[in-house]
Amino acid sequence: MNFSTNGLIFQLSEEDLRRLQQICQPVELTKGQRLNMPVSEHSPKVYFLVNACVTLWVKNAMQSSLAVGLIGSEGAVGLGSALGQSAQHLHFEVQKAGQAWCVDSLELQQLLQSHPAILRVIARYLWQMANDIARMAAAIQSDDIPTRLAAWLVLCAERTQSPQLSLTHDQLAHMLGVRRVSITLAAVELKEQGLLDYKRGCIDILDMSRLVKRADTSAQTRR
């Protein structure tokens, strides 16, 4: 497994890359696996993803949940713990099984304190991630369900680097925080437009460029 396949690691200098690699170990992540659970007895870990994808969920006090992000090989999971921060309402679940590089958060924290160039790379990524979450939150308030579904499918395809997605309507309804029937109606609309096809547990994106435009329809309207 190539260490620099991860987008964050790729940005590091050769010296910093070697320093980070010395404290990382390869791991296999399985679909449905939950990472850095708040009640875990173990020290939090940071996972630099290679070909796995992890959904970022937010849960409120009533335990209802909503998917607000998807992390792939461009980023990492658990970076907040390396900065001494905890997020009780954020949960990470593996959507697509795959490989990652894992490091103990305390070890990474010590490395960041002595090598600020690595910290700058991580800070830029976290800012972009916060911006993406804010944009998704705005879409929940203003976009219709077909537009939100199109945007989520585009994001999934980008993160998994594949136009074939292993997702059920139930899973998508949970992620978008809507009823299953709403996802079915939205999927039918996108299918009739020739943007995708689907069968049980699988969605095939047929026209990515048009799906991207469909996902951005409301944004264009607001300009």
Side-chain angles (χ1 to χ4, degrees):
M1 182 167 58
N2 190 334
F3 191 64
S4 60
T5 301
N6 176 269
L8 284 175
I9 294 174
F10 181 78
Q11 298 178 53
L12 302 179
S13 67
E14 292 186 9
E15 294 79 6
D16 285 338
L17 186 150
R18 285 196 293 269
R19 293 185 181 101
L20 179 59
Q21 189 169 17
Q22 289 175 355
I23 59 175
C24 285
Q25 296 202 358
V27 295
E28 292 283 343
L29 302 179
T30 59
K31 186 173 181 178
Q33 180 180 352
R34 296 184 179 183
L35 307 177
N36 292 344
M37 294 296 291
V39 296
S40 174
E41 298 178 357
H42 304 289
S43 174
K45 306 295 183 184
V46 176
Y47 300 87
F48 293 90
L49 306 181
V50 175
N51 54 14
C53 286
V54 175
T55 304
L56 170 60
W57 295 89
V58 61
K59 291 189 177 183
N60 61 24
M62 302 300 293
Q63 293 301 304
S64 61
S65 57
L66 184 69
V68 294
L70 186 64
I71 305 168
S73 61
E74 86 294 339
V77 174
L79 290 171
S81 60
L83 300 176
Q85 303 296 315
S86 62
Q88 295 295 321
H89 297 295
L90 295 179
H91 301 264
F92 302 93
E93 182 177 326
V94 178
Q95 177 173 309
K96 178 192 173 188
Q99 299 170 315
W101 291 94
C102 179
V103 57
D104 184 88
S105 61
L106 293 179
E107 289 188 76
L108 180 57
Q109 187 177 61
Q110 293 173 358
L111 183 63
L112 297 180
Q113 290 172 350
S114 57
H115 296 86
I118 305 176
L119 179 59
R120 284 195 293 273
V121 170
I122 290 177
R124 285 196 299 269
Y125 168 71
L126 290 176
W127 172 253
Q128 183 59 54
M129 185 176 175
N131 186 57
D132 291 343
I133 293 174
R135 186 169 61 247
M136 187 170 291
I140 294 171
Q141 295 294 321
S142 58
D143 291 349
D144 59 26
I145 295 176
T147 300
R148 290 177 57 200
L149 176 60
W152 186 257
L153 294 178
V154 168
L155 180 62
C156 289
E158 290 175 347
R159 295 294 187 257
T160 61
Q161 300 178 15
S162 172
Q164 296 182 326
L165 306 174
S166 178
L167 290 168
T168 67
H169 286 192
D170 282 334
Q171 289 173 318
L172 288 166
H174 188 202
M175 290 171 176
L176 272 61
V178 299
R179 296 182 302 163
R180 184 187 185 283
V181 65
S182 298
I183 292 297
T184 298
L185 292 174
V188 168
E189 178 178 326
L190 298 179
K191 182 177 181 179
E192 290 176 344
Q193 295 172 1
L195 304 181
L196 56 82
D197 194 11
Y198 58 85
K199 55 185 178 182
R200 187 172 182 83
C202 183
I203 295 177
D204 291 322
I205 297 177
L206 304 179
D207 193 328
M208 177 59 75
S209 61
R210 288 178 57 216
L211 187 64
V212 170
K213 291 179 180 179
R214 180 64 180 84
D216 199 40
T217 298
S218 61
Q220 294 174 356
T221 301
R222 292 193 298 270
R223 291 191 187 110

